[in-house]
Amino acid sequence: MGMMTEQKILRAAIVGSTGYGGVELIRLLQHHPQVEITSVISSSSSGVPISDGFPHLTNIVERNLDGVVPAEIAERADVVFTATPSGVSAKLVPQLMEAGLKVIDLSGDFRIKDGSVYEEWYKHKAPDDDVLAQAVYGLCEVFGEEVVDVDFISNPGCYPTATLLGLIPAISAGWIDPASIIIDAKSGVSGAGRGTSLMAHYAEINENFKAYKVNKHQHIPEIEQVLSEVAGEKVTVTFTTHLAPMTRGIMSTMYASLLGAYTEEDFVELYRQYYKDRRFVRVRDQGTWPATKEVSGSNYCDIGFSVDSRTGRVTFVSVIDNVVKGAAGQAIQNLNLMMGWEESLGLTFTPVYP
Amino acid sequence: MGMMTEQKILRAAIVGSTGYGGVELIRLLQHHPQVEITSVISSSSSGVPISDGFPHLTNIVERNLDGVVPAEIAERADVVFTATPSGVSAKLVPQLMEAGLKVIDLSGDFRIKDGSVYEEWYKHKAPDDDVLAQAVYGLCEVFGEEVVDVDFISNPGCYPTATLLGLIPAISAGWIDPASIIIDAKSGVSGAGRGTSLMAHYAEINENFKAYKVNKHQHIPEIEQVLSEVAGEKVTVTFTTHLAPMTRGIMSTMYASLLGAYTEEDFVELYRQYYKDRRFVRVRDQGTWPATKEVSGSNYCDIGFSVDSRTGRVTFVSVIDNVVKGAAGQAIQNLNLMMGWEESLGLTFTPVYP
Amino acid sequence: MGMMTEQKILRAAIVGSTGYGGVELIRLLQHHPQVEITSVISSSSSGVPISDGFPHLTNIVERNLDGVVPAEIAERADVVFTATPSGVSAKLVPQLMEAGLKVIDLSGDFRIKDGSVYEEWYKHKAPDDDVLAQAVYGLCEVFGEEVVDVDFISNPGCYPTATLLGLIPAISAGWIDPASIIIDAKSGVSGAGRGTSLMAHYAEINENFKAYKVNKHQHIPEIEQVLSEVAGEKVTVTFTTHLAPMTRGIMSTMYASLLGAYTEEDFVELYRQYYKDRRFVRVRDQGTWPATKEVSGSNYCDIGFSVDSRTGRVTFVSVIDNVVKGAAGQAIQNLNLMMGWEESLGLTFTPVYP
Amino acid sequence: MGMMTEQKILRAAIVGSTGYGGVELIRLLQHHPQVEITSVISSSSSGVPISDGFPHLTNIVERNLDGVVPAEIAERADVVFTATPSGVSAKLVPQLMEAGLKVIDLSGDFRIKDGSVYEEWYKHKAPDDDVLAQAVYGLCEVFGEEVVDVDFISNPGCYPTATLLGLIPAISAGWIDPASIIIDAKSGVSGAGRGTSLMAHYAEINENFKAYKVNKHQHIPEIEQVLSEVAGEKVTVTFTTHLAPMTRGIMSTMYASLLGAYTEEDFVELYRQYYKDRRFVRVRDQGTWPATKEVSGSNYCDIGFSVDSRTGRVTFVSVIDNVVKGAAGQAIQNLNLMMGWEESLGLTFTPVYP
């Protein structure tokens, strides 16, 4: 696991290595020029070779899973990724920080700034306010400046990443009515994790398209918190989540009322300007819309537009790979910024197509 | 093809038997107690056994494809289904009617009452106004009375069927603002037909979710025409079509602003009342939403609701099997009504699950 | 569930109604002209409406699940299908028979005539010998005569059905060397049942093709027992099972050495002759091979051949829908024969394509 | 297309850049430390930006497609990959070589040493014998020594790669009977290329498993030629190809009679020894078998075994990603060897899972 170990300068540990987010962090960090993975950690399988559960790692990562012991992690690593379920990170992260580790948390526990809102949507006890206050929300194409040089980043959710990157430039510019926003999101099954359930059973998902948690998904307050901050007013959204018969990919199709006679060309221009120094957002040419496969396996977020003069509305189509840009890739991008490195370090791979 | 031929009373021909709509008509009519298929017709493959191109029909329908000759069709059949591409039906149907045949047209050529609107969206020459005037729009759960005893039915489109059945009771009741309607529709690939194209290539569709024809789909004027009629005012909709990696199934997720403090229970009650004599629309219990697989292979349209008091909007989820309720099944349902039969004759099969 | 109840003459109960085999029995029996379902039974969910777990049955089968109480089943039904896991049927079936019920067992518990062989492969205690002795193996295209008028049928396994129907005519005729048989079988995921496991997780199966239980599958002794009986000598086979990324369907590709200079035409002729009165086996024309989708949702088994004069071997390709011909459909076919009815009663539906 | 252009030392052109093999070469070469792509070439679309047809390359490869003009290619490049259809390479490669280019050909035109055998199976005119004689067959884990320092490599076919790597050590060792080999191969749809056809239509492939070209596939003579060479006697195989409902991946399940009492442990040991310096072949532990997803997106070939003492046969399971190890990845591996570089240069990426 690292013929180039000697010149790498940062040691990383991954808690939750046996989940899809964790194992994707392993895949991506294998090729990061500055990071060496020094511990793969699982609360449930410690002591077992990680390649037992993930044979695709055979001969690539031949390492036993470690247990979740903050002091030991701190001995082995400089930074730790917590790809843990909601509720677990809330308790674990403060211990990891106390042990002196930099932390990038992929759970949702530190995204909602108002503990009572968190508890309403997540049904877990919120983290302490002082820990919450230290968490920097790592939507780096929007808040990248805030990420530099910090010690604790809360990585955005998968749906919020696709959705917010698609909406923020238009809201910032005052081109759309924040009260009119409707979000119709679709996700592949990997977003639900590796846990078994009827909801993830192949025979129930294949050749099936289903809506779930309509207006009830815990990513709603995250989206509303950020949009409200950007709009400078309280924003409430209609948000539907759907499960699509595929493994990877999220598409957010979003609708809003226009506040002026903006054309599709205007939107393309506005967004290209907004993201001009951000290689991982690609704004498609007028008249074309992205597809999830076009970003699969990569850290890109692709965005397209349709302006309908008949209805006075704009439709946004935003796609990401939920496991990369929606989780592990964005976490590494945040690490890069945190460390003062180029944001794309180790992330410049091309989407896998077909 | 018919051990019970002797007691069947209606002879049916199918033009376009080598497309997915045509071959599904064959599957369904095989078990219709009153209809005998007497001719399967294809413009491109006449003279060839239909089981050559569709081996699943081996030993079941061992019949050669006939050519498209109206006089010959009229000799063999009483009613003809035209599962033909747009532009073809416009020319063919008048000849079939002139030959004395009852016609159920599955193309879009006779759905739009205003020829100029048809030409704008379909890019074909519209049929003559007098033929158009004879076409009865067969959305039978809504306009069933109009279908009885007629000779020419224009079968609704797949997207319009799912969408209109989901919206009409609420619009009729005046519960939602017709100006606020946004439709986010998803379809399986069979909706695009059996023709080959990169858009239907397995490697391009599998593990992919894509938007297409955003605000440009030819089903928009059909939806608007019917909604306008029901609302009693001109209705314009925002309409996005997506291709999902599955063969069969359409889901329309629809959004509208509420005109009163209606609850989900109210919607369930309203819709159950509206469709109370219509077995093929199933209104789901409050708090549950349908999935496409739950109607697969069947003539059902299942509908669920989410009312969001935070935004004052209602979300409708409506699903059909695009090849059955969105095409062949609904066409047979229309035939049943046309003939004065029970609407469910030959259509009472259970969805195939899983 | 039964507008035609009055004229139906046989009452059926289904134990294991919440599994895929059980729910398919419900789908198929809905349209059986002579059978009325009078009880749907589940050990785990009794008292709950079956449509709670299977919303596709909404308005179609609105009936609560009953518990597994043999005396109560015997009051309500004449025949019972046991779609139960291995090990459960061994204990339950004797009680059901004692209660006076006819039984069709879909588990593997009564297929292996030698209890010690059963215990070696199934790792459960074998049923008592006297019960085993009463079980008639329902591979009805081969042993149909034996099924007539009996009270207890052991329904063949899914892999054995596809495999045995593909091999038996050639072995019977002495055209292939029984010692040379190699079977490469592929199954959709529904074959593993509705239970959740990593093996059935969508993200692990989609875009994946895997071998499992190579030479270890419990269907091996069933195949060998029947082939040995047909060949009149002990037959041992090489047997590989694979999981294919699809829901339904089994293909057995089988290889054997020829014992004479038989051509593909010879095989087509031999098989058509062998199955000439059996509508559910379709022998394909020389030079074509069946695909699983061509029998999907139907009770057909389709078979094709390739004779390779270069190697002196013949390749058989045999496909079924594992949930229909491999389970529920064949069970109903056996019921029909058991009752002295036409074997295709209620089973004449056309494959669902595409 | 290359912030590191300055230090790269080899210029590469890709003919057939709009096929799946070509576009995968682009993906992989983007990260090769020593190679710069200087021309992407298509006979049909020259002058058009490659990202028009492959939007996933937007902002990554912004380059217009060039035409197929050997002299111009030779000006721009040192080496050319020909990912062209059979029949095209036969004519094109000699011109490219004459123009001074090193060539790695991914078509099948130069794999069969005997022109008459080529013509029998490929139905095209064979290349001239003197050109054929220069082609080195690039199955580099077996014939790697022969690849070093040559100018023209014929890249193995996808099925032969999985099959030969799985069989050769056992044949070399004399452990299996070459006359007994049966190969049951399964491939994802990308193997058929990006051309449209009913065979590649999503609705025909999804939820379907089909056999095709049984004993007739053009990869048969390639497999036999190599096995014969290794065995030192003429080897003839039984070979079935199947299409699986997935995009990427090939599994070859192979059967042979044992020539001694070898165990699974023996096979694991033999194969690990044979491939001990070859990182891209991974031999699985005894009792486990690989799955296609475990090598997806990577250059690995994973192999597992089952020895059945009951039948005296061994079953081999070998998997590759057909687009990588079966085409573009192996071509780059051959380039590396050809240039005297480490074989894994630019190919060390981890499989994409899930």
Side-chain angles (χ1 to χ4, degrees), chain D residues 123-175:
Chain D
K123 319 294 181 198
H124 293 293
K125 196 176 158 0
D128 289 344
D129 281 349
D130 60 325
V131 187
L132 260 183
Q134 296 177 59
V136 175
Y137 185 70
L139 187 70
C140 42
E141 276 86 3
V142 177
F143 305 116
E145 311 292 294
E146 302 176 17
V147 175
V148 179
D149 244 354
V150 300
D151 287 336
F152 174 26
I153 291 173
S154 173
N155 210 51
C158 49
Y159 285 122
T161 298
T163 300
L164 294 170
L165 293 178
L167 289 173
I168 284 174
I171 291 182
S172 282
W175 289 16

XYZ file of all heavy atoms in Angstrom, chain D residues 123-175:
394
model
N -14.245 -13.799 -41.934
C -14.936 -13.450 -43.180
C -14.406 -12.154 -43.802
O -15.157 -11.380 -44.395
C -16.464 -13.319 -42.956
C -17.099 -14.353 -42.048
C -17.041 -15.757 -42.626
C -17.716 -16.761 -41.684
N -17.323 -18.145 -41.995
N -13.139 -11.859 -43.546
C -12.463 -10.750 -44.211
C -11.217 -11.322 -44.860
O -10.748 -12.387 -44.476
C -11.983 -9.680 -43.207
C -13.066 -8.944 -42.527
N -13.913 -8.086 -43.175
C -13.439 -8.919 -41.216
C -14.764 -7.575 -42.298
N -14.506 -8.056 -41.103
N -10.654 -10.554 -45.806
C -9.376 -10.947 -46.378
C -8.275 -10.781 -45.326
O -8.228 -9.779 -44.613
C -9.080 -10.063 -47.603
C -7.976 -10.620 -48.490
C -7.766 -9.804 -49.743
C -6.345 -10.033 -50.322
N -5.494 -10.956 -49.580
N -7.400 -11.761 -45.222
C -6.316 -11.706 -44.236
C -5.256 -10.690 -44.660
O -5.094 -10.403 -45.852
C -5.685 -13.090 -44.090
N -4.523 -10.149 -43.697
C -3.386 -9.278 -44.034
C -2.305 -10.093 -44.747
O -2.293 -11.321 -44.662
C -2.864 -8.805 -42.664
C -3.919 -9.144 -41.668
C -4.692 -10.302 -42.233
N -1.389 -9.377 -45.394
C -0.281 -10.075 -46.059
C 0.568 -10.830 -45.034
O 0.751 -10.372 -43.902
C 0.620 -9.050 -46.782
C -0.089 -8.481 -48.008
O -1.102 -9.082 -48.445
O 0.346 -7.421 -48.491
N 1.106 -11.942 -45.467
C 1.863 -12.797 -44.556
C 3.061 -12.083 -43.925
O 3.388 -12.312 -42.758
C 2.364 -14.052 -45.303
C 1.235 -15.077 -45.458
O 0.177 -14.895 -44.811
O 1.429 -16.048 -46.213
N 3.716 -11.223 -44.700
C 4.907 -10.586 -44.129
C 4.545 -9.601 -43.021
O 5.278 -9.423 -42.060
C 5.728 -9.898 -45.223
C 4.921 -8.833 -45.940
O 3.682 -9.027 -46.119
O 5.497 -7.793 -46.297
N 3.382 -8.979 -43.150
C 2.952 -8.086 -42.075
C 2.538 -8.931 -40.875
O 2.909 -8.641 -39.731
C 1.798 -7.171 -42.527
C 1.494 -6.135 -41.446
C 2.126 -6.501 -43.841
N 1.762 -9.967 -41.148
C 1.339 -10.881 -40.081
C 2.546 -11.382 -39.295
O 2.504 -11.473 -38.053
C 0.628 -12.097 -40.689
C -0.892 -12.107 -40.669
C -1.405 -13.419 -41.235
C -1.421 -11.892 -39.258
N 3.582 -11.678 -40.007
C 4.769 -12.247 -39.369
C 5.426 -11.283 -38.387
O 6.086 -11.695 -37.433
C 5.786 -12.681 -40.427
N 5.236 -10.001 -38.618
C 5.853 -9.003 -37.723
C 5.056 -8.773 -36.451
O 5.558 -8.189 -35.489
C 5.982 -7.656 -38.458
C 6.914 -7.696 -39.651
C 6.920 -6.345 -40.359
O 7.244 -5.319 -39.768
N 6.540 -6.342 -41.627
N 3.776 -9.186 -36.472
C 2.917 -8.900 -35.316
C 3.275 -9.795 -34.140
O 3.282 -11.016 -34.267
C 1.456 -9.101 -35.701
N 3.543 -9.181 -33.003
C 3.825 -9.949 -31.787
C 2.548 -9.988 -30.952
O 1.943 -8.944 -30.678
C 4.966 -9.290 -30.991
C 5.184 -10.026 -29.664
C 6.228 -9.259 -31.832
N 2.168 -11.169 -30.570
C 0.920 -11.345 -29.829
C 1.132 -10.943 -28.363
O 1.922 -11.565 -27.641
C 0.478 -12.800 -29.936
C -0.866 -13.096 -29.306
C -2.040 -12.620 -29.875
C -0.950 -13.841 -28.137
C -3.276 -12.898 -29.303
C -2.183 -14.134 -27.554
C -3.348 -13.653 -28.146
O -4.561 -13.930 -27.573
N 0.403 -9.918 -27.943
C 0.714 -9.270 -26.680
C 0.006 -9.808 -25.448
O -0.500 -9.016 -24.654
N -0.023 -11.117 -25.288
C -0.556 -11.646 -24.018
C 0.611 -11.595 -23.035
O 1.344 -12.574 -22.844
C -1.059 -13.078 -24.205
C -1.796 -13.650 -22.980
C -3.141 -12.961 -22.798
C -2.000 -15.156 -23.134
N 0.797 -10.453 -22.430
C 2.099 -10.163 -21.849
C 2.426 -10.952 -20.600
O 3.606 -11.169 -20.318
C 2.275 -8.673 -21.642
S 0.861 -7.821 -20.997
N 1.449 -11.429 -19.864
C 1.792 -12.258 -18.700
C 2.374 -13.606 -19.132
O 3.019 -14.287 -18.337
C 0.563 -12.494 -17.807
C 0.302 -11.365 -16.826
C -0.524 -10.253 -17.449
O -0.933 -10.417 -18.627
O -0.750 -9.224 -16.795
N 2.132 -13.971 -20.373
C 2.652 -15.254 -20.869
C 3.831 -15.046 -21.816
O 4.845 -15.718 -21.726
C 1.523 -16.058 -21.566
C 2.066 -17.347 -22.155
C 0.388 -16.329 -20.592
N 3.650 -14.085 -22.694
C 4.671 -13.884 -23.733
C 5.380 -12.538 -23.582
O 5.794 -11.932 -24.570
C 4.037 -13.968 -25.126
C 3.274 -15.238 -25.377
C 1.913 -15.225 -25.607
C 3.936 -16.471 -25.383
C 1.208 -16.397 -25.853
C 3.233 -17.650 -25.619
C 1.866 -17.609 -25.849
N 5.453 -12.047 -22.363
C 5.979 -10.707 -22.121
C 7.369 -10.486 -22.678
O 7.676 -9.415 -23.204
N 8.196 -11.482 -22.613
C 9.570 -11.336 -23.119
C 9.572 -10.964 -24.594
O 10.402 -10.189 -25.052
C 10.338 -12.666 -22.970
C 10.230 -13.306 -21.603
C 10.934 -12.481 -20.547
O 12.168 -12.358 -20.619
O 10.225 -11.930 -19.660
N 8.635 -11.540 -25.309
C 8.612 -11.315 -26.766
C 8.159 -9.917 -27.141
O 8.317 -9.473 -28.265
C 7.671 -12.341 -27.420
C 8.083 -13.772 -27.141
C 7.096 -14.777 -27.710
O 6.283 -14.398 -28.571
O 7.136 -15.945 -27.261
N 7.532 -9.241 -26.180
C 6.958 -7.933 -26.476
C 8.000 -6.820 -26.387
O 7.920 -5.803 -27.065
C 5.787 -7.661 -25.494
C 5.247 -6.265 -25.678
C 4.690 -8.709 -25.671
N 9.024 -7.055 -25.559
C 10.019 -6.014 -25.319
C 10.712 -5.606 -26.615
O 11.136 -6.457 -27.391
C 11.061 -6.509 -24.288
C 12.134 -5.441 -24.049
C 10.361 -6.877 -22.990
N 10.735 -4.308 -26.831
C 11.539 -3.744 -27.916
C 11.008 -3.991 -29.329
O 11.720 -3.775 -30.291
C 12.964 -4.336 -27.838
C 13.964 -3.218 -27.548
O 13.538 -2.050 -27.528
O 15.137 -3.518 -27.357
N 9.781 -4.405 -29.451
C 9.242 -4.602 -30.803
C 8.494 -3.359 -31.265
O 8.264 -2.430 -30.496
C 8.302 -5.823 -30.859
C 9.062 -7.075 -30.465
C 7.080 -5.597 -29.985
N 8.075 -3.340 -32.505
C 7.426 -2.163 -33.075
C 5.947 -2.375 -33.373
O 5.238 -1.443 -33.721
C 8.128 -1.788 -34.395
C 9.490 -1.184 -34.141
O 9.701 -0.646 -33.029
O 10.341 -1.247 -35.052
N 5.501 -3.619 -33.275
C 4.130 -3.893 -33.705
C 3.550 -5.010 -32.847
O 4.031 -6.145 -32.896
C 4.144 -4.281 -35.185
C 2.820 -4.720 -35.740
C 1.603 -4.282 -35.187
C 2.769 -5.569 -36.850
C 0.383 -4.705 -35.722
C 1.543 -5.988 -37.383
C 0.363 -5.560 -36.805
N 2.546 -4.648 -32.097
C 1.917 -5.624 -31.215
C 0.463 -5.819 -31.604
O -0.267 -4.862 -31.887
C 2.025 -5.172 -29.739
C 3.486 -5.253 -29.301
C 1.133 -6.016 -28.834
C 3.735 -4.678 -27.940
N 0.074 -7.073 -31.622
C -1.329 -7.398 -31.810
C -1.895 -7.709 -30.425
O -1.476 -8.662 -29.772
C -1.444 -8.616 -32.733
O -2.790 -9.030 -32.791
N -2.801 -6.865 -29.984
C -3.349 -6.975 -28.624
C -4.374 -8.113 -28.598
O -5.235 -8.196 -29.475
C -4.035 -5.634 -28.281
C -4.008 -5.311 -26.813
O -2.957 -5.352 -26.182
N -5.176 -4.980 -26.268
N -4.327 -8.955 -27.585
C -5.255 -10.098 -27.544
C -6.717 -9.667 -27.453
O -7.034 -8.567 -26.994
C -4.835 -10.835 -26.268
C -3.413 -10.461 -26.046
C -3.339 -9.026 -26.507
N -7.606 -10.560 -27.847
C -9.037 -10.326 -27.722
C -9.474 -10.411 -26.265
O -8.753 -10.927 -25.401
N -10.683 -9.905 -26.000
C -11.150 -9.863 -24.619
C -11.429 -11.268 -24.085
O -10.940 -11.635 -23.016
C -12.384 -8.975 -24.508
S -13.676 -9.311 -25.709
N -12.191 -12.067 -24.813
C -12.448 -13.438 -24.355
C -11.141 -14.233 -24.237
O -10.930 -14.932 -23.234
C -13.393 -14.166 -25.306
C -14.849 -13.773 -25.218
C -15.537 -13.294 -26.327
C -15.567 -13.918 -24.027
C -16.883 -12.967 -26.266
C -16.912 -13.586 -23.952
C -17.577 -13.113 -25.082
O -18.896 -12.795 -25.010
N -10.262 -14.180 -25.245
C -9.006 -14.927 -25.104
C -8.181 -14.500 -23.894
O -7.567 -15.350 -23.244
C -8.274 -14.617 -26.421
C -9.382 -14.395 -27.401
C -10.440 -13.666 -26.609
N -8.185 -13.216 -23.556
C -7.385 -12.781 -22.412
C -7.840 -13.474 -21.135
O -7.037 -14.067 -20.401
C -7.475 -11.252 -22.257
O -6.925 -10.637 -23.430
C -6.716 -10.767 -21.023
N -9.147 -13.399 -20.855
C -9.654 -14.039 -19.635
C -9.437 -15.545 -19.675
O -9.072 -16.174 -18.676
C -11.143 -13.726 -19.470
N -9.658 -16.111 -20.835
C -9.602 -17.563 -20.977
C -8.182 -18.094 -20.894
O -7.882 -19.040 -20.146
C -10.242 -17.951 -22.330
O -11.601 -17.502 -22.323
C -10.178 -19.448 -22.568
N -7.288 -17.479 -21.649
C -5.913 -17.988 -21.709
C -5.186 -17.805 -20.378
O -4.485 -18.715 -19.922
C -5.160 -17.295 -22.841
C -5.683 -17.627 -24.249
C -5.050 -16.707 -25.297
C -5.412 -19.097 -24.592
N -5.365 -16.641 -19.746
C -4.700 -16.465 -18.455
C -5.208 -17.484 -17.442
O -4.471 -17.913 -16.566
C -4.920 -15.027 -17.942
C -4.239 -13.935 -18.772
C -4.571 -12.553 -18.208
C -2.719 -14.134 -18.805
N -6.458 -17.891 -17.602
C -7.019 -18.876 -16.685
C -6.551 -20.296 -16.941
O -6.498 -21.122 -16.031
N -6.206 -20.617 -18.187
C -5.885 -22.005 -18.531
C -4.392 -22.313 -18.653
O -3.957 -23.440 -18.393
C -6.551 -22.380 -19.868
C -8.064 -22.548 -19.861
C -8.574 -22.746 -21.297
C -8.485 -23.739 -18.983
N -3.626 -21.334 -19.074
C -2.250 -21.637 -19.489
C -1.371 -22.266 -18.405
O -0.680 -23.273 -18.690
C -1.592 -20.389 -20.139
C -2.158 -20.246 -21.565
C -0.074 -20.479 -20.148
C -1.738 -18.991 -22.301
N -1.353 -21.758 -17.179
C -0.470 -22.416 -16.202
C -0.789 -23.898 -16.035
O 0.136 -24.719 -15.937
C -0.726 -21.633 -14.910
C -1.151 -20.275 -15.386
C -1.967 -20.543 -16.619
N -2.060 -24.244 -16.034
C -2.428 -25.652 -15.855
C -2.033 -26.497 -17.054
O -1.586 -27.642 -16.911
C -3.935 -25.771 -15.605
N -2.151 -25.920 -18.240
C -1.749 -26.661 -19.445
C -0.227 -26.794 -19.502
O 0.307 -27.863 -19.776
C -2.300 -25.967 -20.713
C -3.815 -26.117 -20.735
C -1.657 -26.538 -21.970
C -4.470 -25.523 -21.945
N 0.440 -25.688 -19.224
C 1.908 -25.714 -19.198
C 2.431 -26.788 -18.257
O 3.419 -27.472 -18.546
C 2.450 -24.375 -18.682
O 2.402 -23.425 -19.688
N 1.763 -26.892 -17.117
C 2.219 -27.851 -16.114
C 1.814 -29.280 -16.444
O 2.241 -30.214 -15.787
C 1.655 -27.465 -14.746
N 0.958 -29.423 -17.454
C 0.504 -30.761 -17.811
C -0.502 -31.335 -16.818
O -0.652 -32.556 -16.727
N -1.204 -30.474 -16.124
C -2.144 -30.950 -15.112
C -3.530 -31.264 -15.665
O -4.316 -31.936 -15.009
C -2.293 -29.910 -13.992
C -1.099 -29.784 -13.107
C 0.173 -30.245 -13.353
C -1.068 -29.166 -11.815
N 0.999 -29.948 -12.306
C 0.266 -29.279 -11.338
C -2.004 -28.518 -11.017
C 0.658 -28.772 -10.102
C -1.614 -28.014 -9.792
C -0.297 -28.145 -9.331
